[in-house]
Amino acid sequence: MDIKRVAINAVNETIVLNVVHMDYKGQVAKRINEKMPLATVKGFRKGQVPKDLVEKQYGKSIKQEEVKKVVDLALERYIQSERLNLLGTPLAKENENFDWDAEELVFEYEIGLVPNFEINLEAKNDIVKYIVTADDKLIDGQVERIQKQFGKAIPQDVVVADSDITGTFTNEEKGINNTTTISLSIFKDKKTADKFIGKKVGDIVTVNTKGLFEDDHQLMDYLKVSHDDVHGLEVDVNFTIEAINGAELAELNQELFDKLFGEGKVASLEDLKAKIKEDAELQFAQQADQKLLLDVQDFLIESTKFELPAEFLKKWLQTVGEKKLSPEEAEVEYTRSEKGLRFQLIEGKAMAQSNIQITFEDLKAFTTNAIKQQMAQFGQTNPTDEEVQAIVARVLSNQEEVKRLSEQVVAEKLLVLFKEKANPTTKEVTYEEFIAASYGE
């Protein structure tokens, strides 16, 4: 068998396999002999059919099966021996006039190659690493929420200025149907808040989403509107009142502090505010790291130029998956996934370039830490090592979980690399300022 590659351009090639009789005749003959005792042809008893009739009836299909096996194995070994770095899998070129009786059978496969490119993690950029602080407004608001949450709810007949109102926002056209609890202070316009004053359980208040809150992104919290729909949304929504409560605020005493944080860990209002600030800024730091990672990804995708075998990949997308895609559907899918594919290649290059590897110990340590954090959230602050490792072992026995966690470990290592190499500008902001920066506003 003769195998060669024909280059089309830097990322597209064709593999040509020339198969001759010697490549498959022995296996075809063996299959024919195995078939003879089982062959049935009218006029002959089973097992007594002459060999030439068996070959006539079954020979063509057996030949095609054996040739396919030979070609598939040769193609696989050739790709391995040539160390070809492919995108997708080889696609057989269709030939409606293929002659199975020819002395030499020629098979052609299109392949798409991973492009050769370089990345510069230290290139000049405008990336910002945000340090998000919890300001007094946020901390005081959290203290008040704690007092309300652990205070005593007092049912009210009608809505007054400081009522907590439970109800459901609805808009059939936009698919809005979300039950939530609100206070009148969340509304941007006092006229909107005034619509609720004096209302009772069962009453419906209609408001418009445009300018409903100080920050349009609050629509995501209270109405469960997606981020894509937040900006410019201008529809009427109905709020059906289901419960009205006043609140007798909980006293900020040691009993409440111990209930929230454990015995003796918080002893005063100042301690409480310090704890709220610490916990909030830890959470903000995680969000800021995620934004940094996304910003670096966008920068690298924009600044790292390379060609992809786009047309090949669109054809390949039509062949994979349970549901075969039309050319139009494949075009849409390729457009949707191109950015992710580009960063996947950049990510691999960055890891290779910086000699970053993921070991089982890395994965185990990451999973152990994640399990401890989850257990702490449910009040298990001092689990034994045996308890934790039993859960870790169970999690890592699931291949889907291993894949998901491995991606998180990669992201964590890349984040460390990007912080070091990309040299982002550091900027301290409040959480409100961070949200505005995150959504480009």
Side-chain angles (χ1 to χ4, degrees), residues 138-161:
L138 185 146
I139 294 171
D140 290 341
Q142 186 61 28
V143 170
E144 184 177 344
R145 278 191 289 273
I146 288 173
Q147 287 185 278
K148 279 190 174 183
Q149 180 182 350
F150 291 92
K152 181 180 179 182
I154 303 173
Q156 296 176 328
D157 294 328
V158 298
V159 176
V160 294

mmCIF file of all heavy atoms in Angstrom, residues 138-161:
data_model
loop_
_atom_site.group_PDB
_atom_site.id
_atom_site.type_symbol
_atom_site.label_atom_id
_atom_site.label_comp_id
_atom_site.label_asym_id
_atom_site.label_seq_id
_atom_site.Cartn_x
_atom_site.Cartn_y
_atom_site.Cartn_z
ATOM 1 N N LEU A 138 -22.524 49.016 51.266
ATOM 2 C CA LEU A 138 -22.781 47.584 51.087
ATOM 3 C C LEU A 138 -22.799 46.869 52.431
ATOM 4 O O LEU A 138 -23.673 46.039 52.699
ATOM 5 C CB LEU A 138 -21.708 46.989 50.176
ATOM 6 C CG LEU A 138 -21.865 45.516 49.764
ATOM 7 C CD1 LEU A 138 -21.341 45.291 48.353
ATOM 8 C CD2 LEU A 138 -21.154 44.577 50.732
ATOM 9 N N ILE A 139 -21.857 47.197 53.308
ATOM 10 C CA ILE A 139 -21.764 46.523 54.604
ATOM 11 C C ILE A 139 -22.982 46.837 55.470
ATOM 12 O O ILE A 139 -23.584 45.940 56.074
ATOM 13 C CB ILE A 139 -20.460 46.933 55.320
ATOM 14 C CG1 ILE A 139 -19.254 46.408 54.540
ATOM 15 C CG2 ILE A 139 -20.446 46.391 56.751
ATOM 16 C CD1 ILE A 139 -17.917 46.938 55.036
ATOM 17 N N ASP A 140 -23.364 48.110 55.504
ATOM 18 C CA ASP A 140 -24.539 48.495 56.302
ATOM 19 C C ASP A 140 -25.806 47.826 55.765
ATOM 20 O O ASP A 140 -26.679 47.407 56.544
ATOM 21 C CB ASP A 140 -24.708 50.015 56.280
ATOM 22 C CG ASP A 140 -23.618 50.738 57.072
ATOM 23 O OD1 ASP A 140 -22.961 50.081 57.911
ATOM 24 O OD2 ASP A 140 -23.411 51.946 56.843
ATOM 25 N N GLY A 141 -25.901 47.725 54.448
ATOM 26 C CA GLY A 141 -27.055 47.060 53.856
ATOM 27 C C GLY A 141 -27.113 45.593 54.238
ATOM 28 O O GLY A 141 -28.195 45.039 54.491
ATOM 29 N N GLN A 142 -25.936 44.952 54.312
ATOM 30 C CA GLN A 142 -25.893 43.546 54.697
ATOM 31 C C GLN A 142 -26.256 43.363 56.170
ATOM 32 O O GLN A 142 -26.939 42.404 56.535
ATOM 33 C CB GLN A 142 -24.502 42.973 54.415
ATOM 34 C CG GLN A 142 -24.382 41.485 54.646
ATOM 35 C CD GLN A 142 -25.308 40.665 53.763
ATOM 36 O OE1 GLN A 142 -25.672 41.076 52.674
ATOM 37 N NE2 GLN A 142 -25.720 39.509 54.245
ATOM 38 N N VAL A 143 -25.821 44.285 57.008
ATOM 39 C CA VAL A 143 -26.196 44.229 58.427
ATOM 40 C C VAL A 143 -27.714 44.309 58.566
ATOM 41 O O VAL A 143 -28.331 43.546 59.323
ATOM 42 C CB VAL A 143 -25.526 45.369 59.218
ATOM 43 C CG1 VAL A 143 -26.113 45.454 60.636
ATOM 44 C CG2 VAL A 143 -24.021 45.168 59.289
ATOM 45 N N GLU A 144 -28.326 45.232 57.833
ATOM 46 C CA GLU A 144 -29.781 45.381 57.898
ATOM 47 C C GLU A 144 -30.482 44.119 57.391
ATOM 48 O O GLU A 144 -31.494 43.689 57.970
ATOM 49 C CB GLU A 144 -30.217 46.590 57.073
ATOM 50 C CG GLU A 144 -31.715 46.873 57.178
ATOM 51 C CD GLU A 144 -32.142 48.109 56.409
ATOM 52 O OE1 GLU A 144 -31.261 48.916 56.037
ATOM 53 O OE2 GLU A 144 -33.352 48.266 56.174
ATOM 54 N N ARG A 145 -29.939 43.525 56.330
ATOM 55 C CA ARG A 145 -30.553 42.282 55.806
ATOM 56 C C ARG A 145 -30.476 41.163 56.844
ATOM 57 O O ARG A 145 -31.410 40.365 56.977
ATOM 58 C CB ARG A 145 -29.861 41.871 54.507
ATOM 59 C CG ARG A 145 -30.379 42.612 53.281
ATOM 60 C CD ARG A 145 -29.861 42.003 51.993
ATOM 61 N NE ARG A 145 -28.443 42.277 51.810
ATOM 62 C CZ ARG A 145 -27.962 43.370 51.238
ATOM 63 N NH1 ARG A 145 -28.783 44.318 50.838
ATOM 64 N NH2 ARG A 145 -26.656 43.534 51.084
ATOM 65 N N ILE A 146 -29.362 41.094 57.560
ATOM 66 C CA ILE A 146 -29.222 40.071 58.601
ATOM 67 C C ILE A 146 -30.262 40.303 59.703
ATOM 68 O O ILE A 146 -30.915 39.358 60.169
ATOM 69 C CB ILE A 146 -27.792 40.103 59.191
ATOM 70 C CG1 ILE A 146 -26.794 39.555 58.172
ATOM 71 C CG2 ILE A 146 -27.725 39.288 60.489
ATOM 72 C CD1 ILE A 146 -25.347 39.709 58.586
ATOM 73 N N GLN A 147 -30.416 41.556 60.081
ATOM 74 C CA GLN A 147 -31.393 41.862 61.133
ATOM 75 C C GLN A 147 -32.815 41.524 60.687
ATOM 76 O O GLN A 147 -33.622 41.029 61.488
ATOM 77 C CB GLN A 147 -31.305 43.340 61.517
ATOM 78 C CG GLN A 147 -30.063 43.695 62.318
ATOM 79 C CD GLN A 147 -30.073 45.144 62.769
ATOM 80 O OE1 GLN A 147 -29.722 46.039 62.006
ATOM 81 N NE2 GLN A 147 -30.505 45.380 64.011
ATOM 82 N N LYS A 148 -33.119 41.793 59.420
ATOM 83 C CA LYS A 148 -34.447 41.451 58.906
ATOM 84 C C LYS A 148 -34.622 39.942 58.816
ATOM 85 O O LYS A 148 -35.664 39.389 59.192
ATOM 86 C CB LYS A 148 -34.644 42.071 57.530
ATOM 87 C CG LYS A 148 -35.036 43.540 57.547
ATOM 88 C CD LYS A 148 -35.454 44.010 56.152
ATOM 89 C CE LYS A 148 -35.996 45.424 56.177
ATOM 90 N NZ LYS A 148 -36.467 45.857 54.843
ATOM 91 N N GLN A 149 -33.600 39.264 58.316
ATOM 92 C CA GLN A 149 -33.684 37.811 58.115
ATOM 93 C C GLN A 149 -33.913 37.074 59.427
ATOM 94 O O GLN A 149 -34.684 36.107 59.499
ATOM 95 C CB GLN A 149 -32.399 37.313 57.444
ATOM 96 C CG GLN A 149 -32.400 35.805 57.184
ATOM 97 C CD GLN A 149 -31.091 35.350 56.558
ATOM 98 O OE1 GLN A 149 -30.250 36.151 56.152
ATOM 99 N NE2 GLN A 149 -30.912 34.043 56.485
ATOM 100 N N PHE A 150 -33.242 37.536 60.482
ATOM 101 C CA PHE A 150 -33.350 36.842 61.765
ATOM 102 C C PHE A 150 -34.285 37.563 62.734
ATOM 103 O O PHE A 150 -34.400 37.169 63.899
ATOM 104 C CB PHE A 150 -31.950 36.678 62.382
ATOM 105 C CG PHE A 150 -31.092 35.720 61.619
ATOM 106 C CD1 PHE A 150 -30.252 36.171 60.608
ATOM 107 C CD2 PHE A 150 -31.146 34.360 61.876
ATOM 108 C CE1 PHE A 150 -29.459 35.288 59.895
ATOM 109 C CE2 PHE A 150 -30.359 33.466 61.169
ATOM 110 C CZ PHE A 150 -29.516 33.930 60.169
ATOM 111 N N GLY A 151 -34.926 38.613 62.224
ATOM 112 C CA GLY A 151 -35.914 39.301 63.037
ATOM 113 C C GLY A 151 -37.266 38.613 62.956
ATOM 114 O O GLY A 151 -37.404 37.519 62.414
ATOM 115 N N LYS A 152 -38.265 39.275 63.456
ATOM 116 C CA LYS A 152 -39.615 38.715 63.497
ATOM 117 C C LYS A 152 -40.474 39.391 62.436
ATOM 118 O O LYS A 152 -40.572 40.623 62.397
ATOM 119 C CB LYS A 152 -40.224 38.920 64.882
ATOM 120 C CG LYS A 152 -41.615 38.344 65.046
ATOM 121 C CD LYS A 152 -42.134 38.587 66.457
ATOM 122 C CE LYS A 152 -43.547 38.032 66.624
ATOM 123 N NZ LYS A 152 -44.071 38.305 67.987
ATOM 124 N N ALA A 153 -41.036 38.585 61.546
ATOM 125 C CA ALA A 153 -41.927 39.119 60.517
ATOM 126 C C ALA A 153 -43.297 39.405 61.133
ATOM 127 O O ALA A 153 -43.864 38.561 61.829
ATOM 128 C CB ALA A 153 -42.067 38.122 59.368
ATOM 129 N N ILE A 154 -43.805 40.600 60.860
ATOM 130 C CA ILE A 154 -45.098 41.001 61.408
ATOM 131 C C ILE A 154 -46.068 41.223 60.248
ATOM 132 O O ILE A 154 -45.891 42.165 59.462
ATOM 133 C CB ILE A 154 -44.961 42.295 62.228
ATOM 134 C CG1 ILE A 154 -43.938 42.099 63.348
ATOM 135 C CG2 ILE A 154 -46.304 42.734 62.782
ATOM 136 C CD1 ILE A 154 -43.611 43.367 64.102
ATOM 137 N N PRO A 155 -47.055 40.336 60.085
ATOM 138 C CA PRO A 155 -48.004 40.491 58.964
ATOM 139 C C PRO A 155 -48.703 41.849 59.013
ATOM 140 O O PRO A 155 -49.060 42.348 60.089
ATOM 141 C CB PRO A 155 -48.994 39.351 59.184
ATOM 142 C CG PRO A 155 -48.230 38.343 59.999
ATOM 143 C CD PRO A 155 -47.341 39.153 60.898
ATOM 144 N N GLN A 156 -48.886 42.447 57.843
ATOM 145 C CA GLN A 156 -49.559 43.733 57.726
ATOM 146 C C GLN A 156 -50.742 43.611 56.773
ATOM 147 O O GLN A 156 -50.710 42.814 55.833
ATOM 148 C CB GLN A 156 -48.577 44.795 57.209
ATOM 149 C CG GLN A 156 -47.410 45.078 58.147
ATOM 150 C CD GLN A 156 -46.409 46.060 57.558
ATOM 151 O OE1 GLN A 156 -46.208 46.089 56.351
ATOM 152 N NE2 GLN A 156 -45.795 46.864 58.405
ATOM 153 N N ASP A 157 -51.748 44.424 56.990
ATOM 154 C CA ASP A 157 -52.932 44.408 56.133
ATOM 155 C C ASP A 157 -52.684 45.142 54.822
ATOM 156 O O ASP A 157 -53.211 44.751 53.778
ATOM 157 C CB ASP A 157 -54.120 45.043 56.857
ATOM 158 C CG ASP A 157 -54.558 44.225 58.063
ATOM 159 O OD1 ASP A 157 -54.418 42.988 57.990
ATOM 160 O OD2 ASP A 157 -55.009 44.818 59.050
ATOM 161 N N VAL A 158 -51.948 46.220 54.890
ATOM 162 C CA VAL A 158 -51.683 47.021 53.694
ATOM 163 C C VAL A 158 -50.203 47.357 53.621
ATOM 164 O O VAL A 158 -49.475 47.308 54.625
ATOM 165 C CB VAL A 158 -52.509 48.337 53.688
ATOM 166 C CG1 VAL A 158 -53.991 48.047 53.673
ATOM 167 C CG2 VAL A 158 -52.130 49.215 54.876
ATOM 168 N N VAL A 159 -49.767 47.695 52.416
ATOM 169 C CA VAL A 159 -48.361 48.054 52.197
ATOM 170 C C VAL A 159 -48.099 49.457 52.729
ATOM 171 O O VAL A 159 -48.857 50.397 52.446
ATOM 172 C CB VAL A 159 -48.017 47.998 50.688
ATOM 173 C CG1 VAL A 159 -46.584 48.478 50.449
ATOM 174 C CG2 VAL A 159 -48.216 46.587 50.139
ATOM 175 N N VAL A 160 -47.016 49.586 53.502
ATOM 176 C CA VAL A 160 -46.526 50.899 53.936
ATOM 177 C C VAL A 160 -45.079 51.025 53.463
ATOM 178 O O VAL A 160 -44.513 50.104 52.872
ATOM 179 C CB VAL A 160 -46.619 51.063 55.471
ATOM 180 C CG1 VAL A 160 -48.081 51.063 55.916
ATOM 181 C CG2 VAL A 160 -45.848 49.951 56.188
ATOM 182 N N ALA A 161 -44.473 52.168 53.730
ATOM 183 C CA ALA A 161 -43.172 52.496 53.138
ATOM 184 C C ALA A 161 -42.085 51.466 53.429
ATOM 185 O O ALA A 161 -41.247 51.181 52.570
ATOM 186 C CB ALA A 161 -42.730 53.873 53.605
#
